[in-house]
Amino acid sequence: MATTKQDLGAKEKELIAIVGAGPVGALLALKLAKKGYKIDLFESRPDSRKTDIYQGKSINLALSDRGWRALQAVGIEQEIRQQAIPMYCRVMHDIDGNLTKQAYGTENQAIWSVSRSGINEQLITQAEKCPLIDINFSYRLTQLNFDDNTAVYLDENQQVVTRQSDIIFGADGAFSKVRRLMQELPKQRISYSLDYMPQSYIELTIAANEDGSHKLEKNALHIWPRKDFMLIALPNLDGSFTCTLFMNQEGDLSFNSLNSYQKVATFFQRYFADAMLLLENPVEDFLVKSASPLCLVHIYPWLVNEQVALIGDAAHAMVPFYGQGMNSGFEDCRVLSELVDENKGNWQAILQAYQHSRKVNCDAITELAQRNFVEMSDLAGDANFLLRKKIEAHFHQKHPKLWVPLYSMVTFSPDIPYSKALAIGDIQKNIMDEIMKMPGIEKNWQGDEVYNRMYQLASSKLELNL
Amino acid sequence: MATTKQDLGAKEKELIAIVGAGPVGALLALKLAKKGYKIDLFESRPDSRKTDIYQGKSINLALSDRGWRALQAVGIEQEIRQQAIPMYCRVMHDIDGNLTKQAYGTENQAIWSVSRSGINEQLITQAEKCPLIDINFSYRLTQLNFDDNTAVYLDENQQVVTRQSDIIFGADGAFSKVRRLMQELPKQRISYSLDYMPQSYIELTIAANEDGSHKLEKNALHIWPRKDFMLIALPNLDGSFTCTLFMNQEGDLSFNSLNSYQKVATFFQRYFADAMLLLENPVEDFLVKSASPLCLVHIYPWLVNEQVALIGDAAHAMVPFYGQGMNSGFEDCRVLSELVDENKGNWQAILQAYQHSRKVNCDAITELAQRNFVEMSDLAGDANFLLRKKIEAHFHQKHPKLWVPLYSMVTFSPDIPYSKALAIGDIQKNIMDEIMKMPGIEKNWQGDEVYNRMYQLASSKLELNL
């Protein structure tokens, strides 16, 4: 819908500050500028296109349908797809080096490996082209006055800069400064939790072959599930894979306990013999790198005075095990953008509706992501679990509307809210528990009896409950 | 056990800073000084004995056996008992003004109504007599250097004062500054949550009769349970009662919705007609006072570098519905004190054992306190619930070791850790659910059949499980 000139005039009076120019902050800026709002975008770090702030560190993310849908309206979907690699399946590497494939969805459904810095830079470059967006790098937020919506920053010369705006978004990530300043408000009764997981992670690399090709199947996400720990690998365009090793920070086999060359080398040799042949200096990397923590953030409310709001990781940091961190943040932007239209620029109504809609759904995906560690690291290598998935996929083909597997609802069905996916998934789990108890299921899983029973259970429990 | 002079010499070298001179901080100072440690006690507020920092506000607490046990060793138990009023029962006031009594325990068991400021001042006065304790009022903590255990304070003249010590305790309450400074440490991976309850509270007063006597039964805790909200009253020595009204902050009947004289007057008249005749200006007080929030704090770890530790509300603020907030903080001091002896002054071992022992137990009482709102505000007025309690009390008399009611385990059995009480309580609940399903239980509850069945269930489930 084209905005008339008169509308634009009214909106240009409204200035929106976005603290944090990561993928979510940059996308939010683009979406709101498209509606005619004037945007001040602040980023505490320097411009990554000019300074190597990542110090060669490559972080990969899996972009899926919720993310793509949010990107559509700002016109850089195609550009980003060109830099992304579709992954159609999981490839599980067992301890003896045997491989098992598991499709993520139907034939053409994929999750897409993208570089975090790459997608961020594409969004920033797009934002720079927009005259309504003013990008300020190396601006570090130090104070917020919530009464008059004034923010105080230190710029790159350590000068104090004060900026006022009508609305302020905190898109400044899991350790959000906006959030910390909100929490200190005595009268707001803001409930908050930050939970560290027992697992931490380090990144490792599998380099490309000399001809630039990939050393493992390119269009797949590789997993070495070892129950209490796991290694994963996502493909890069240059032929390399970015790998992540997740394991306990403390305990018997942990980042703390593996503290000598000998112990680490033995560990890799024992548990990741096939990957060991491909990884670049895993033992040295393991010993040199300090493991990064994984944490969950819950906060409520997300708003102060209906003028300051949290978005993305600042509101709902989660663990990476469902590949939905960035996707959920992008979906925040998409939903907010729709609410701006629905509520015709009434920001009190927009932000209340935004919080109401997103809080419950982001709680759901945070919960699903936490549960998924077990699925990825343990069950992914379990025959019984794989049979379950096969039965579900088969039934989905027969009754594509009655039964959409949980992973597909979350990953490929942006019309199903996360909270609904979680609720349906729990009912499906109960049904599958029943099905897996059927005598001889390992042999008879393709028989009609199984699917008739499943149809009976699903049509009574799923259709009635939803 | 007397400390030899040689021991004392060694300990005097060790300086322990305690931030917060509320009841827990003051008791901790007394206990550690008794072992020969030198104590620096810091309190951000002025001395309440000289300045009326409570502004006439009277906060009452229920001291019970865990608290008394912790007080025994420092020799002011008798002095405090003289300022305390035993409450042997709950008196429930129903909506028509009918009263129901329920004993808290056996004949001589009571919880004791004490004034928070009174007990605090008694402990401070005791601490002042101790040459090893240096009390610093109006010292506000601003920074902690965790590497060298240096704390920075602003004194009453706004002068910066820096103090070093071997060990630092944060006994500075639910909104602890020590805790906030701990949380900002990047490498400590401290999980934390602060949860606001839907309910808030205000304090109201029932004045004494002209002759100084009490207008309601003195030796009881009075409850007006109204399901979503409740009023309670605790007796004071001067003949008055301190009352607390707990209700939702928001919603249909809430602190927010009752916003006119007419609405509040109608509310009190409808729900608290009998109390309305006794309360001093409840309607005016309701409209003038701003309701205080109720919150829960969970944090882990409680320690940094085994040199800084949290204690009392700073580590485990809970809701007041089990009357165990101060009791659990006092128990922290008692357990710590025993661990100092057991571990012969090895503070690394002492603090690790302290955290290990207390975290699980304080989580349990925090959970029990949260659950107890329903028991107090709703079930306390429920005939079925009262019958349950009568059956339990009766069975307890028959088998005093096999069955101690949950309330008695928490309140009168300091030898049973909170976590064990919680676990036993859950099993008891399952057993009572069975018993209450017995046909005609309302009539036959005194019959042998009931207690035989209960004995059978209890001896199989309780004895095997514990």
Side-chain angles (χ1 to χ4, degrees), chain A residues 189 191-192 194 196 200 249 291, chain B residues 189 191-194 196 200 291:
Chain A
R189 303 183 188 216
S191 292
Y192 166 74
L194 173 70
Y196 284 88
S200 300
Q249 182 64 38
Chain B
R189 305 183 186 213
S191 293
Y192 166 71
S193 70
L194 174 69
Y196 285 88
S200 300

Side-chain angles (χ1 to χ4, degrees), chain A residues 263-442:
Chain A
K263 284 181 191 167
V264 178
T266 307
F267 167 75
F268 274 100
Q269 207 55 62
R270 173 155 180 208
Y271 293 105
F272 304 116
D274 64 337
M276 187 71 168
L277 301 171
L278 311 173
L279 287 161
E280 282 196 313
N281 308 319
V283 181
E284 291 79 357
D285 273 10
F286 186 102
L287 289 166
V288 168
K289 292 186 174 183
S290 77
S292 303
L294 293 170
C295 57
L296 302 177
V297 168
H298 289 89
I299 184 163
Y300 191 82
W302 290 7
L303 311 179
V304 175
N305 302 338
E306 285 126 0
Q307 290 183 314
V308 178
L310 300 174
I311 193 162
D313 280 359
H316 51 78
M318 66 192 73
V319 290
F321 306 121
Y322 228 113
Q324 288 293 316
M326 185 175 65
N327 286 293
S328 63
F330 280 6
E331 193 174 67
D332 290 346
C333 299
R334 197 258 299 164
V335 169
L336 182 85
S337 170
E338 290 169 4
L339 290 169
V340 170
D341 295 339
E342 278 170 36
N343 293 281
K344 302 189 174 66
N346 171 352
W347 278 95
Q348 192 172 346
I350 293 164
L351 292 179
Q352 281 292 355
Y354 159 75
Q355 168 175 271
H356 182 75
S357 159
R358 296 308 293 162
K359 171 64 180 167
V360 59
N361 285 309
C362 292
D363 279 353
I365 187 58
T366 302
E367 166 70 20
L368 284 167
Q370 201 177 353
R371 291 188 194 172
N372 219 42
F373 179 74
V374 179
E375 176 151 332
M376 281 183 86
S377 70
D378 188 8
L379 301 178
D382 179 272
N384 193 285
F385 175 78
L386 294 175
L387 178 57
R388 262 179 190 250
K389 295 283 150 183
K390 271 199 285 194
I391 296 173
E392 281 195 65
H394 198 67
F395 189 62
H396 171 55
Q397 281 191 323
K398 284 173 183 270
H399 303 283
K401 288 199 176 164
L402 179 60
W403 192 284
V404 183
L406 177 58
Y407 188 87
S408 296
M409 288 192 280
V410 169
T411 308
F412 304 122
S413 315
D415 285 328
I416 302 177
Y418 288 128
S419 57
K420 196 168 172 184
L422 172 64
I424 296 174
D426 283 346
I427 297 169
Q428 288 177 337
K429 187 185 172 295
N430 290 339
I431 294 173
M432 288 309 298
D433 287 347
E434 288 294 305
I435 296 297
M436 297 303 288
K437 280 184 209 152
M438 289 175 76
I441 184 74
E442 304 79 14

Side-chain angles (χ1 to χ4, degrees), chain B residues 183-388:
Chain B
Q183 283 168 241
E184 285 168 20
L185 295 172
K187 300 258 164 187
Q188 294 288 326
R189 305 183 186 213
I190 295 176
S191 293
Y192 166 71
S193 70
L194 174 69
D195 291 297
Y196 285 88
M197 295 293 96
Q199 300 89 19
S200 300
Y201 69 92
I202 55 169
E203 274 163 7
L204 302 169
T205 307
I206 293 174
N209 288 315
E210 282 189 18
D211 65 357
S213 62
H214 289 79
K215 284 185 176 158
L216 293 167
E217 177 170 345
K218 173 184 174 183
N219 292 111
L221 191 156
H222 296 263
I223 310 182
W224 290 256
R226 299 293 180 267
K227 196 173 175 193
D228 291 331
F229 50 91
M230 69 170 163
L231 179 72
I232 67 169
L234 277 80
N236 296 314
L237 279 181
D238 66 2
S240 67
F241 282 87
T242 300
C243 307
T244 312
L245 173 65
F246 296 95
M247 71 187 302
N248 284 332
Q249 182 63 37
E250 293 173 19
D252 276 353
L253 261 186
S254 69
F255 283 113
N256 283 358
S257 73
L258 298 176
N259 51 11
S260 72
Y261 193 95
Q262 190 51 49
K263 285 180 192 167
V264 179
T266 307
F267 167 76
F268 274 101
Q269 205 57 61
R270 175 155 176 208
Y271 293 103
F272 303 117
D274 64 336
M276 187 73 167
L277 301 171
L278 310 175
L279 288 162
E280 281 194 316
N281 309 319
V283 182
E284 291 80 355
D285 272 10
F286 186 102
L287 290 166
V288 167
K289 292 186 175 182
S290 75
S292 302
L294 293 170
C295 57
L296 304 177
V297 169
H298 289 90
I299 185 164
Y300 191 81
W302 290 6
L303 310 180
V304 175
N305 302 338
E306 285 127 358
Q307 290 182 314
V308 178
L310 299 174
I311 193 163
D313 281 358
H316 51 78
M318 66 191 74
V319 291
F321 306 122
Y322 227 114
Q324 288 293 317
M326 185 174 66
N327 287 292
S328 63
F330 281 6
E331 194 175 67
D332 291 344
C333 299
R334 196 257 301 163
V335 169
L336 181 85
S337 168
E338 289 169 5
L339 290 168
V340 170
D341 296 339
E342 278 171 35
N343 292 281
K344 301 190 175 67
N346 171 352
W347 278 95
Q348 192 172 347
I350 292 164
L351 291 180
Q352 282 292 356
Y354 159 74
Q355 168 175 271
H356 182 77
S357 158
R358 296 308 292 162
K359 171 65 179 166
V360 59
N361 285 309
C362 292
D363 279 353
I365 187 60
T366 301
E367 166 70 20
L368 285 167
Q370 201 178 352
R371 291 187 195 173
N372 219 42
F373 179 73
V374 178
E375 176 150 333
M376 281 182 87
S377 70
D378 188 7
L379 302 177
D382 181 271
N384 193 286
F385 174 79
L386 295 175
L387 177 58
R388 263 180 189 251

